[in-house]
Amino acid sequence: LKANFCSDNVAPIAAEILSAIVEANADDAVSYGEDAITLRLRNVASEIFEKEVAIFPVVSGTAANGLALSQIAAPFSGIYCHEFAHIVTDECGAPELFTAGAKLLPLRSPDGILKPSQVSDAVALAQDMGVHHVPPAAISITQATEWGTVYSLDQVNDLAELARRHGLRIHMDGARFANALVHLGCTPAQATWKSGVDVLCLGATKNGAMGAEAVVFFDPVLARDFEFRRKRAGQLLSKMRFVSAQLLAYLTHDLWLSLATHSNAMATLMAEGLAAIAGARLLHKVQANEVFVALPDSTVAHLQTQGFGFYRWPVSAVAPLTAIRLMTSFDTTVQEVRDFLQSAGEANHVQRV
Amino acid sequence: LKANFCSDNVAPIAAEILSAIVEANADDAVSYGEDAITLRLRNVASEIFEKEVAIFPVVSGTAANGLALSQIAAPFSGIYCHEFAHIVTDECGAPELFTAGAKLLPLRSPDGILKPSQVSDAVALAQDMGVHHVPPAAISITQATEWGTVYSLDQVNDLAELARRHGLRIHMDGARFANALVHLGCTPAQATWKSGVDVLCLGATKNGAMGAEAVVFFDPVLARDFEFRRKRAGQLLSKMRFVSAQLLAYLTHDLWLSLATHSNAMATLMAEGLAAIAGARLLHKVQANEVFVALPDSTVAHLQTQGFGFYRWPVSAVAPLTAIRLMTSFDTTVQEVRDFLQSAGEANHVQRV
Amino acid sequence: LKANFCSDNVAPIAAEILSAIVEANADDAVSYGEDAITLRLRNVASEIFEKEVAIFPVVSGTAANGLALSQIAAPFSGIYCHEFAHIVTDECGAPELFTAGAKLLPLRSPDGILKPSQVSDAVALAQDMGVHHVPPAAISITQATEWGTVYSLDQVNDLAELARRHGLRIHMDGARFANALVHLGCTPAQATWKSGVDVLCLGATKNGAMGAEAVVFFDPVLARDFEFRRKRAGQLLSKMRFVSAQLLAYLTHDLWLSLATHSNAMATLMAEGLAAIAGARLLHKVQANEVFVALPDSTVAHLQTQGFGFYRWPVSAVAPLTAIRLMTSFDTTVQEVRDFLQSAGEANHVQRV
Amino acid sequence: LKANFCSDNVAPIAAEILSAIVEANADDAVSYGEDAITLRLRNVASEIFEKEVAIFPVVSGTAANGLALSQIAAPFSGIYCHEFAHIVTDECGAPELFTAGAKLLPLRSPDGILKPSQVSDAVALAQDMGVHHVPPAAISITQATEWGTVYSLDQVNDLAELARRHGLRIHMDGARFANALVHLGCTPAQATWKSGVDVLCLGATKNGAMGAEAVVFFDPVLARDFEFRRKRAGQLLSKMRFVSAQLLAYLTHDLWLSLATHSNAMATLMAEGLAAIAGARLLHKVQANEVFVALPDSTVAHLQTQGFGFYRWPVSAVAPLTAIRLMTSFDTTVQEVRDFLQSAGEANHVQRV
C-alpha cells in the first residue's frame, strides 16, 4: 500500500488526542459544555493567546467558518475573500447558510494572499454603488492559504489596518493555523490579534484531532450571543467534554506545534525532492504542508498506477504539464516521501529516455 | 457524590462504542464518509431496517432534525408538531435555520402524542386560508416523546395515513428511538417505515455514543441531494469513520437495545418506587427512560440538598406540588435509584410527621 | 350587487391618493427614493410624529412587518406575539424569511391584547432554558388588533416597560393604525414612541392607498443599515416617488384620519344594528373597523345568498351559532350597512317565526 | 434643465399605463390577485407567448429575479451568471435572501453574453468537486444584457441545450426584455420558451410602468407552489388589480414594443452621434437602450457641468479616457439626444483645439 497524499484529513487521530478522549470518559459530566474539561480549555486558550479569549469548540471547520462569519457579517452584507478560498469553493454554500445569505466577494491573487490595494478598490466600488451593493462587513483570509503559502505578519497587519479604516472585521480561516504558525515562528498572539485578527477558526482535525475545531474571538464582546448561534447550528454537542478534551490535548505540551512541525518538514522534503527532478515545476512556495507541482502527465499517470494517493489540480496554465497537489500530515513518514520521489524520478527518467 | 438524573446525556461513552473508536484509528482512511466503516454501516442499517435505507451519520440530534426537516419541508411550508417538541423548545431555532424558515405549527396534547383529528383540523384551517397560510408539508413526531411516553404502532400508522391523504411527510425525532423500540417490543422496521415513517433521526448519543446520530430515509429517492445539505451544514465530518464506527458498534450485537433496556428498567424502578411514596404523583406513563413526578416542594428541596441531579419542570397544574424530571441512562445503577428513592421517602416522612 | 365586507382591502384607491399619483407623474425624477416627494414625506412624517423619524416606504404590509422585525430580532432569537397575529397566521412565513428564521413565540389572549404578565412568564421560562431556547428579542403587537380591539395607551406602555427591563424591542403592526388612532383620540406620537414603541409598520393600503406602507423607526439609530434590508427585499422601488406620493397624500390634511373615522363609524353602525337583532352576539368590542358577530347559521346562509361579501370565521366556541367577520372601509356607505342589517334582521325574523 | 440619461427608471409612467390604473379604480374588487383584471392578464400573456403560461405580477425586478431563482435553485445549489449581472452586483444580496443562500457562480465575458463552453467547463469542475461544491441548478442570463447587448436566439438556444444536458434551468432576467425583443425582431415565444427559457422575469417598470414586473413560467408545472413564495416575499399585493392593470396595458396594443422601439432608437441615435465625435470610443454594440462610451475626461466633466444626467462607469481598461453609461427611455426625445451630442462635440472640439 502506497502513501496517501490526498489530504491531511485521511490521517488518523494522534495518540495523545485519542488518549485524552479515553481519559475524559471516566464518569458522568455536565453536558453542553458546562463540564470541567471545557472550562479548562478556556483557561488554556487564554494563556496561549496571552489574552482573555472566548473559545467555542465545534466539530467541523465548515461550521466554524460559517458561524464565525455569521457573527461579524449581517445577512445583507459582503465578505471579501480569495476566489479559491475554502469558504468559496469547498463548503457547499455553508457560509451562505450560517450567515443567512451574506455574499462572498471573491478577489484574485496568484499566491492565495489578498493585497490591501485590491480590497481597497473593491470597497471603493461598493461605496460608489450605495444601497444596490452589499455593504462590506469583513475580510476572510486563510492561514495557511489554499496554495500552501503563509501570510506574513505584515501582510495580515496591513489588511487589518485597512479593515479598521472601513469598519470591516478580519476572519482567519485557520484550518491549518498550526502549520502557518510553525512557519512564521511567532507566538499565537502575534499571528492573530496582535496582527489585527478579530476571529480565528482554529483547526485541529487536519492536524491530529478526531473532529475538533474552535471559534476563537479575541474580544469577548464580539462573541456576544455566539453560544446561541452555535447551539442553533447543531454544533453544541451534548457530550462536549469529548471535543474539548481533544482541543485541550492539542494545545497542551505544544502538541499542535510538534505535529505541524513534522507535517511541514515532510512537505519541504517533498518539495526539495521534486525540485531536483528535471521537468518538474513547483507552482507555489511551500510554507506549510501542501505542495503544488506540475509534472509531465505520464509521470502523474505512473504515480497513480503505483498507488500513491493525490489529486490532479485544475491549473490550466501549466499545460502541457499536469498539476497535482500533495499534502502531508502529522503521520507522514520520511520513507513515504522518499518512495514517492523515487517513483516520480523513475517515471520522469523513463519518459525522458 | 450523588447520582445525576438531569439527562441521559450526562453519561459517558459506552465501553463497546469507545473501543470501536479506538479500533477505527488504525491507519489512513478516505475522508468525508467514503471509508469502509461508513460503507459497512450502510449495509448493517439496511439489514436492521429490512430495507435499503439511505443513512447519513451526523454529530448532533439538533442538526439531524433540522436537516431531515429541510429535506421534506420547503422554506415556505409548515410542520405540525407537539408544542413541547424538542424542535420547538430546545433547539434554539435550528429547524428554522436548516429549513430556511419553515414554520413549526405547534399542537397540544397532554401526553405528548399527536392525534390525527387535531392534525386534520389544522390542515383544514390551512387549506381554508389559502395562500396566506404556510402550506403544511410534514408532521414531526417524537418517539419516545418529551414526556417519556411512546406512540403505539397504531398511533403512528393513523397519523401516517392522514399524512398520505394530505401529501404530508412523517418525520420521527428518534433521539430516544431505542428506548421506544424496547418498550414497543417490535422490529425497527415495524416501528418506522412499516408504520409510515418517511425519515427517522436515529439518536445514539443519549444512549451511549460519544456524539453520533443518523438521518435515515426509508425511500432513497427521498434522500436525493441530501448529502449536499449535510455538507453545507458542517455535518459531513472529514474523519467520518469515527462517527460511523460509533453507530456501527451501536447497532451491532443489539448493543443499542441492551443499553436502552437497562435504561428503561431503571426508569420503571424509579417510577414504581415513587408511586409507593405517599403524596407523590406520577405525571405521565413511564414507557421509556424518563420519569415526571410531582412531589412536595420540601421533598424536592431535600433531594437537591442531598446532591441528586435533576430538573424542576415547569408544570403549573400540579401546584402546590412541584414537578421534577428524572432521566435514567445506560449507566444508571440500581443502587443510584434506590438511594434516590430512600432520600425521597425520608424527606416525605419527615414532612408528614 | 351587494356590499363586500370581506376586507378593507377590496376597496379602491381614495380619490386624493390617486390624484397624488397622477400629479407625481410630471417629469423625470431621481429613482430609488432620492426624489423630492420622498424627501418631503420624511419631513411630514417627522412633523406628524413630533420627532425626527426614519421612515421607509414599502409596498406591502407583509414586507413591512418582516423587514421591521428583521431589524430588531436576530435570526436566532424569538419574538413574542399573539397566537392569531397576522405575522403568525396570514403572512405565509414572511417573518421567518425576512428575519432569517427568528421564531415567533405565540401567546394567547381572548381579546387579541397581550398582557405584561404573560410576556413576563414567557421570558422567565426562556431564561431558565438558557442556550437551548431562542433568546427573546422583541414583542410584536397589532394595533388595532386582529379582533378589531385597540390597545389603550396604558396597555402599550406597560408592555413597553416590561420590554425595556428585558432588553426587548416593541414592534407595532399598524396595518390599521389610523383606525386605532381615531379610536384612541390621541396624537400619533402618544400612540407610538411616547408609549414605548420602537418601530411602527404604518399601513395605508387598507385605508385608501393603492399599495403603500411605511416602516417608521422612532430612533434613527435603530434604523442603521435598514436601507440595505429594504433594497435586498425588493421593496426599494425604482420609481419610489409614486409610493411616497401616496403616503404623503395620506398623511396630509388629516386624510388618513378622516378616512379611518368614516370606516370606524360604519363598523360601529353595523355593530349597533347587529346588537339589536335577537340571537346575534357580538364577539368583541368594536373599536376599529371590524365586527365579529355570531349569528344563526341560517342567517349567515341567507346573507351569503343575498350576495353580501364576508368571511365565516373559525370560532368554535360560539356553536351552534356561526361566527362571521365584517370589515368596513373608507368607502363603505351607510346604505350598504343598512342593507346588510335589514337582510340580517329579516333572516332572523323568518327563522324565529 | 438638461436630460437625465442616468437610467430608464428616472422616467415617469407612460400615459396609457397611468390611464389603466385610473380605470381600474372603479369599484371594490376581490383582493390578492383574484380580481378580473389579473385574470385577464393571464389570458393575454398566454396569447402573447402562444402558450399557457403561469404569470405572477410583482412590484420589483429585484424581487422577481430572486423569487424566480428560488423556484429553480435549491438553497444549497449554484446559479451560473455573468460576473456583472444585476443579480450579482445590484440587488444587495436579494437572490441570496429569496433562494435562502444559493450561490451565484460568476462567469466572465467581455460583452455580457455567457458562452456555452464556459458554463460547460464550470459544470465539469463542479462535478469533479463532488459534495464539496454547490451542485449547479440554473443559468441566469440577462436580456438585454448589462452592457446593452442582446443574446441572439442561437446563443440562448445553445445555452439552453447545454442546460438540458446537465439538468439546469434557464432563467432570463428580462428587466429590458422588450428592448431586446424589438432588437431581435422575433416573437415573444421565440425569444423565450422556444429558445429554451424556463422562466422569464418580464420587466415593465423601466419601460413605462409605475412599478410592475412579472415572473412568467412557461411550464405551469414548474410554477408549483410559487404563489406561496410570492406571498411570503410580500409581493402579493392586496390591491393587486392595480399592478395587473399596468401589465395588461403594457402588453396590449403592442404598447411595450412601441415604447421599447422608441427607446432603442434614441440609443442608436446617441451612439451614431457619439461615433462621429473624434476621440470617442463606443465600448459595446448598442442593441438596446444603453450606450457605453469612453470620452476624454474633460468632455465628461463638461457634460456634467452642463447638467446632463449620466453615470461614470468603472471600466479601467479605457484609460486615459473615461467611460460613461447613457441610458435612454420611452420618453427620451430626439432633441435631448441632439443637445447632448452637441455639448459633447463642443467639449471635444475645445479640448482638441
Side-chain angles (χ1 to χ4, degrees):
Chain A
L1 204 70
K2 293 297 166 53
N4 189 341
F5 299 108
C6 281
S7 178
D8 36 13
N9 58 34
V10 301
I13 311 172
E16 295 86 342
I17 293 174
L18 184 54
S19 294
I21 293 174
V22 173
E23 276 159 38
N25 200 39
D27 207 344
D28 284 3
V30 191
S31 48
Y32 296 113
E34 301 297 316
D35 60 280
I37 297 172
T38 304
L39 185 65
R40 204 152 87 235
L41 171 63
R42 257 175 244 156
N43 295 335
V44 167
S46 292
E47 276 167 38
I48 282 177
F49 284 104
E50 305 169 39
K51 191 179 207 306
E52 174 81 17
V53 300
I55 181 170
F56 297 87
V58 297
V59 293
S60 92
T62 292
N65 281 333
L67 284 171
L69 292 172
S70 76
Q71 187 75 357
I72 58 176
F76 53 80
S77 74
I79 299 159
Y80 296 113
C81 54
H82 192 275
E83 63 172 332
F84 296 147
H86 199 266
I87 56 172
V88 174
T89 64
D90 284 80
E91 300 186 351
C92 200
E96 287 84 355
L97 170 66
F98 291 113
T99 63
K103 196 186 268 290
L104 301 182
L105 300 165
L107 301 172
R108 307 186 155 197
S109 93
D111 56 358
I113 287 172
L114 299 181
K115 308 297 177 301
S117 63
Q118 57 187 159
V119 175
S120 185
D121 288 354
V123 170
L125 183 66
Q127 288 171 339
D128 210 49
M129 296 186 66
V131 76
H132 306 289
H133 190 284
V134 286
I139 306 172
S140 174
I141 60 179
T142 311
Q143 183 76 311
T145 75
E146 281 74 16
W147 292 119
T149 55
V150 173
Y151 280 84
S152 71
L153 295 190
D154 278 354
Q155 285 173 323
V156 176
N157 239 316
D158 290 352
L159 280 172
E161 263 177 35
L162 175 72
R164 268 191 295 279
R165 276 203 301 282
H166 294 293
L168 311 180
R169 296 288 185 178
I170 298 279
H171 163 253
M172 179 175 276
D173 175 354
R176 296 186 181 91
F177 180 70
N179 302 88
L181 196 58
V182 161
H183 171 78
L184 290 170
C186 67
T187 65
Q190 286 169 331
T192 55
W193 64 273
K194 286 187 174 172
S195 297
V197 173
D198 292 294
V199 56
L200 167 72
C201 290
L202 172 63
T205 312
K206 290 177 195 294
N207 193 29
M210 170 181 154
E213 312 274 316
V215 183
V216 184
F217 293 94
F218 298 104
D219 176 0
V221 170
L222 194 58
R224 189 169 176 263
D225 283 344
F226 187 76
E227 69 261 30
F228 294 106
R229 292 192 186 273
R230 180 176 56 167
K231 165 71 192 182
R232 186 185 186 227
Q235 292 283 331
L236 175 64
L237 265 57
S238 56
K239 297 185 180 173
M240 185 56 94
R241 56 172 146 164
F242 298 108
V243 182
S244 299
Q246 295 177 59
L247 290 166
L248 192 56
Y250 185 65
L251 295 177
T252 301
H253 301 318
D254 287 346
L255 177 63
W256 60 326
L257 302 182
S258 29
L259 295 175
T261 299
H262 176 79
S263 178
N264 284 10
M266 291 303 99
T268 301
L269 185 66
M270 178 70 91
E272 288 168 357
L274 288 167
I277 293 176
R281 179 144 64 89
L282 288 173
L283 301 178
H284 292 286
K285 282 188 226 161
V286 175
Q287 300 179 319
N289 64 328
E290 293 182 84
V291 180
F292 290 88
V293 64
L295 296 168
D297 198 65
S298 59
T299 303
V300 172
H302 174 71
L303 288 161
Q304 286 184 314
T305 308
Q306 290 284 307
F308 291 105
F310 58 84
Y311 287 120
R312 287 161 181 260
W313 217 249
V315 183
S316 52
V318 299
L321 293 178
T322 295
I324 65 170
R325 185 187 77 170
L326 299 165
M327 202 170 266
T328 57
S329 76
F330 79 91
D331 79 332
T332 301
T333 64
V334 172
Q335 192 57 48
E336 287 174 329
V337 174
R338 285 197 181 137
D339 287 353
F340 184 89
L341 290 170
Q342 188 178 339
S343 281
E346 281 168 12
N348 219 44
H349 183 68
V350 168
Q351 183 198 31
R352 304 204 142 227
V353 171
Chain B
L1 203 71
K2 293 294 166 53
N4 188 342
F5 299 107
C6 281
S7 178
D8 36 13
N9 59 32
V10 301
I13 311 172
E16 296 87 341
I17 293 175
L18 183 54
S19 295
I21 292 175
V22 174
E23 275 159 37
N25 199 38
D27 207 345
D28 284 3
V30 191
S31 47
Y32 296 113
E34 300 298 314
D35 62 278
I37 297 172
T38 304
L39 185 64
R40 207 154 83 233
L41 171 64
R42 259 175 243 155
N43 295 334
V44 166
S46 292
E47 276 167 39
I48 282 178
F49 284 104
E50 306 168 41
K51 192 180 207 304
E52 175 81 17
V53 300
I55 181 169
F56 296 87
V58 297
V59 293
S60 89
T62 293
N65 282 333
L67 285 170
L69 292 172
S70 76
Q71 187 74 358
I72 58 175
F76 52 81
S77 74
I79 300 159
Y80 296 113
C81 55
H82 192 274
E83 64 171 333
F84 296 147
H86 199 265
I87 56 172
V88 174
T89 63
D90 284 80
E91 301 187 350
C92 198
E96 287 85 354
L97 170 66
F98 291 113
T99 63
K103 196 186 268 290
L104 301 182
L105 301 164
L107 301 173
R108 307 186 155 196
S109 91
D111 56 359
I113 287 173
L114 299 181
K115 308 297 176 300
S117 63
Q118 59 187 156
V119 175
S120 185
D121 288 353
V123 169
L125 182 67
Q127 287 171 341
D128 208 49
M129 295 186 67
V131 76
H132 305 288
H133 191 283
V134 286
I139 306 171
S140 175
I141 59 180
T142 310
Q143 182 75 313
T145 75
E146 281 74 16
W147 292 119
T149 55
V150 173
Y151 279 85
S152 71
L153 295 190
D154 278 354
Q155 286 174 322
V156 176
N157 240 316
D158 290 352
L159 279 172
E161 260 177 37
L162 175 73
R164 268 191 295 279
R165 276 204 300 280
H166 294 294
L168 312 179
R169 297 288 186 179
I170 297 279
H171 163 254
M172 181 176 274
D173 175 354
R176 297 187 180 91
F177 179 70
N179 302 87
L181 196 57
V182 161
H183 171 78
L184 290 170
C186 67
T187 67
Q190 286 170 330
T192 55
W193 65 273
K194 286 187 174 173
S195 297
V197 173
D198 292 294
V199 55
L200 168 72
C201 290
L202 173 62
T205 312
K206 291 179 195 292
N207 193 28
M210 170 181 155
E213 312 275 315
V215 183
V216 183
F217 293 94
F218 298 103
D219 175 0
V221 170
L222 193 59
R224 187 167 178 266
D225 284 343
F226 187 77
E227 68 260 31
F228 294 106
R229 291 191 188 273
R230 180 177 57 167
K231 165 71 192 182
R232 186 187 187 226
Q235 292 282 332
L236 176 64
L237 266 58
S238 57
K239 298 184 179 174
M240 185 56 93
R241 56 171 145 162
F242 298 109
V243 182
S244 300
Q246 295 176 59
L247 290 166
L248 192 55
Y250 185 64
L251 295 177
T252 302
H253 301 318
D254 288 346
L255 177 63
W256 60 326
L257 303 182
S258 29
L259 296 174
T261 299
H262 175 80
S263 178
N264 285 8
M266 291 303 99
T268 301
L269 185 66
M270 179 69 92
E272 289 168 357
L274 289 167
I277 294 176
R281 179 143 64 89
L282 288 173
L283 301 178
H284 293 285
K285 282 188 229 162
V286 176
Q287 300 178 319
N289 64 328
E290 294 182 85
V291 179
F292 290 88
V293 64
L295 296 167
D297 198 64
S298 59
T299 304
V300 172
H302 174 71
L303 289 161
Q304 285 184 314
T305 309
Q306 290 284 308
F308 291 104
F310 57 86
Y311 287 119
R312 286 161 182 260
W313 217 250
V315 183
S316 53
V318 299
L321 294 179
T322 296
I324 65 170
R325 187 187 76 171
L326 300 165
M327 203 172 267
T328 57
S329 77
F330 78 91
D331 79 331
T332 301
T333 64
V334 172
Q335 190 58 47
E336 288 174 329
V337 175
R338 286 195 181 141
D339 287 354
F340 184 89
L341 290 171
Q342 188 177 340
S343 282
E346 281 167 14
N348 219 45
H349 183 69
V350 169
Q351 185 200 29
R352 305 204 142 227
V353 171
Chain C
L1 203 68
K2 293 295 166 52
N4 188 342
F5 298 107
C6 281
S7 178
D8 36 13
N9 59 34
V10 301
I13 311 173
E16 296 86 340
I17 293 175
L18 184 55
S19 294
I21 292 174
V22 174
E23 275 158 39
N25 199 38
D27 207 345
D28 284 3
V30 191
S31 46
Y32 296 113
E34 301 298 315
D35 61 279
I37 296 172
T38 304
L39 186 64
R40 207 154 83 235
L41 171 63
R42 258 176 244 155
N43 296 334
V44 167
S46 293
E47 277 167 37
I48 283 178
F49 284 104
E50 305 169 41
K51 192 180 208 303
E52 175 80 18
V53 301
I55 181 169
F56 297 87
V58 298
V59 292
S60 90
T62 292
N65 282 332
L67 284 169
L69 292 173
S70 76
Q71 187 74 359
I72 58 175
F76 53 81
S77 73
I79 299 158
Y80 296 112
C81 55
H82 193 273
E83 65 172 332
F84 296 147
H86 199 266
I87 57 172
V88 174
T89 64
D90 284 79
E91 300 187 352
C92 200
E96 286 85 355
L97 170 65
F98 291 113
T99 62
K103 195 186 270 291
L104 301 182
L105 300 165
L107 301 173
R108 309 185 153 197
S109 92
D111 57 358
I113 287 173
L114 299 181
K115 308 298 177 298
S117 63
Q118 58 187 157
V119 175
S120 186
D121 288 352
V123 169
L125 183 66
Q127 287 171 339
D128 208 48
M129 297 186 65
V131 76
H132 305 287
H133 190 285
V134 287
I139 305 172
S140 175
I141 59 180
T142 310
Q143 182 77 312
T145 75
E146 281 73 16
W147 293 119
T149 55
V150 172
Y151 280 84
S152 71
L153 295 190
D154 278 353
Q155 286 174 321
V156 176
N157 240 316
D158 290 351
L159 279 172
E161 261 176 37
L162 175 72
R164 267 191 295 280
R165 277 204 301 281
H166 293 294
L168 311 180
R169 297 288 186 178
I170 297 278
H171 163 252
M172 180 175 274
D173 175 354
R176 295 187 182 91
F177 179 70
N179 302 88
L181 195 58
V182 161
H183 171 78
L184 289 170
C186 67
T187 66
Q190 287 170 329
T192 54
W193 64 273
K194 286 187 174 173
S195 297
V197 174
D198 292 293
V199 55
L200 168 72
C201 291
L202 172 63
T205 311
K206 291 179 196 293
N207 193 29
M210 171 181 153
E213 311 276 315
V215 182
V216 183
F217 293 94
F218 298 104
D219 175 1
V221 170
L222 193 60
R224 188 166 177 264
D225 284 342
F226 188 76
E227 69 260 32
F228 294 106
R229 292 191 187 272
R230 180 177 57 167
K231 165 72 192 181
R232 186 187 187 225
Q235 291 284 333
L236 176 64
L237 265 58
S238 56
K239 298 184 179 172
M240 185 56 93
R241 57 171 145 162
F242 297 109
V243 182
S244 300
Q246 295 176 60
L247 290 166
L248 192 56
Y250 185 66
L251 295 177
T252 302
H253 301 319
D254 289 346
L255 177 62
W256 60 327
L257 302 182
S258 30
L259 295 175
T261 299
H262 176 79
S263 178
N264 285 9
M266 291 304 98
T268 302
L269 185 65
M270 178 70 90
E272 289 168 356
L274 288 168
I277 294 177
R281 179 144 64 90
L282 287 173
L283 301 178
H284 293 285
K285 281 188 228 162
V286 176
Q287 301 179 318
N289 64 328
E290 294 182 84
V291 179
F292 291 87
V293 64
L295 297 168
D297 198 65
S298 59
T299 303
V300 172
H302 173 72
L303 289 161
Q304 286 184 314
T305 309
Q306 290 284 308
F308 291 104
F310 58 85
Y311 288 119
R312 286 162 183 260
W313 218 250
V315 183
S316 52
V318 299
L321 294 179
T322 296
I324 65 170
R325 186 187 76 172
L326 299 165
M327 202 172 266
T328 56
S329 77
F330 78 91
D331 79 332
T332 301
T333 64
V334 171
Q335 190 58 48
E336 287 174 329
V337 175
R338 285 194 181 141
D339 287 353
F340 184 89
L341 290 170
Q342 187 177 341
S343 282
E346 281 168 12
N348 220 46
H349 183 69
V350 168
Q351 184 198 30
R352 304 202 145 229
V353 172
Chain D
L1 201 71
K2 292 298 165 52
N4 189 341
F5 299 107
C6 282
S7 178
D8 36 13
N9 58 34
V10 301
I13 311 172
E16 296 87 341
I17 293 175
L18 184 54
S19 294
I21 292 174
V22 174
E23 276 159 38
N25 199 38
D27 207 346
D28 285 2
V30 191
S31 47
Y32 296 113
E34 300 298 314
D35 61 280
I37 297 173
T38 303
L39 185 64
R40 204 151 87 234
L41 171 63
R42 259 176 242 155
N43 296 334
V44 167
S46 292
E47 275 167 38
I48 282 178
F49 284 104
E50 305 168 40
K51 192 178 206 309
E52 174 81 17
V53 301
I55 181 169
F56 297 87
V58 297
V59 292
S60 91
T62 292
N65 282 332
L67 284 170
L69 292 171
S70 76
Q71 186 75 356
I72 60 176
F76 53 81
S77 74
I79 299 159
Y80 296 113
C81 55
H82 191 275
E83 64 172 332
F84 296 147
H86 199 265
I87 56 172
V88 174
T89 64
D90 284 79
E91 300 187 351
C92 199
E96 287 85 355
L97 170 65
F98 291 113
T99 64
K103 194 186 268 293
L104 301 182
L105 300 165
L107 301 173
R108 309 187 153 196
S109 93
D111 57 358
I113 287 173
L114 298 181
K115 308 298 177 299
S117 63
Q118 58 187 158
V119 175
S120 186
D121 289 354
V123 169
L125 183 67
Q127 288 170 339
D128 210 47
M129 296 185 67
V131 76
H132 305 288
H133 191 284
V134 287
I139 306 172
S140 174
I141 60 180
T142 311
Q143 182 76 312
T145 74
E146 279 75 16
W147 293 119
T149 55
V150 173
Y151 280 84
S152 72
L153 295 191
D154 279 354
Q155 286 173 322
V156 176
N157 240 314
D158 291 352
L159 280 172
E161 262 177 36
L162 175 72
R164 269 190 294 279
R165 276 204 300 281
H166 293 294
L168 312 179
R169 297 288 185 178
I170 298 280
H171 163 253
M172 180 175 275
D173 175 354
R176 296 187 182 91
F177 179 71
N179 302 88
L181 195 58
V182 161
H183 172 78
L184 290 169
C186 67
T187 66
Q190 287 170 329
T192 55
W193 64 273
K194 287 187 175 173
S195 297
V197 173
D198 292 294
V199 55
L200 168 72
C201 291
L202 172 62
T205 312
K206 291 178 194 294
N207 193 29
M210 169 181 154
E213 312 275 315
V215 182
V216 184
F217 293 94
F218 298 104
D219 176 0
V221 170
L222 193 60
R224 188 167 176 265
D225 283 344
F226 187 77
E227 68 261 30
F228 295 106
R229 293 192 185 274
R230 180 177 57 168
K231 166 71 193 183
R232 186 186 186 225
Q235 291 283 332
L236 176 64
L237 266 59
S238 56
K239 297 185 180 172
M240 185 56 93
R241 58 173 145 162
F242 297 109
V243 181
S244 299
Q246 295 177 58
L247 291 166
L248 192 57
Y250 185 65
L251 295 176
T252 302
H253 302 318
D254 288 346
L255 177 63
W256 60 326
L257 302 183
S258 30
L259 295 174
T261 299
H262 175 80
S263 178
N264 284 9
M266 291 303 98
T268 301
L269 185 66
M270 179 69 91
E272 288 168 356
L274 288 167
I277 293 176
R281 180 145 64 89
L282 288 173
L283 300 177
H284 292 285
K285 282 189 229 162
V286 175
Q287 300 179 318
N289 64 328
E290 294 183 84
V291 179
F292 290 88
V293 63
L295 295 168
D297 199 64
S298 59
T299 304
V300 172
H302 174 72
L303 288 161
Q304 286 185 313
T305 308
Q306 289 284 308
F308 291 104
F310 57 86
Y311 287 120
R312 288 160 182 260
W313 217 250
V315 184
S316 52
V318 299
L321 294 179
T322 295
I324 64 170
R325 185 187 78 170
L326 300 164
M327 202 171 267
T328 57
S329 76
F330 78 91
D331 80 331
T332 301
T333 65
V334 172
Q335 191 58 47
E336 287 175 329
V337 175
R338 285 197 182 138
D339 288 353
F340 184 89
L341 289 170
Q342 188 177 340
S343 282
E346 281 168 12
N348 219 46
H349 183 68
V350 168
Q351 181 198 33
R352 304 203 142 229
V353 171

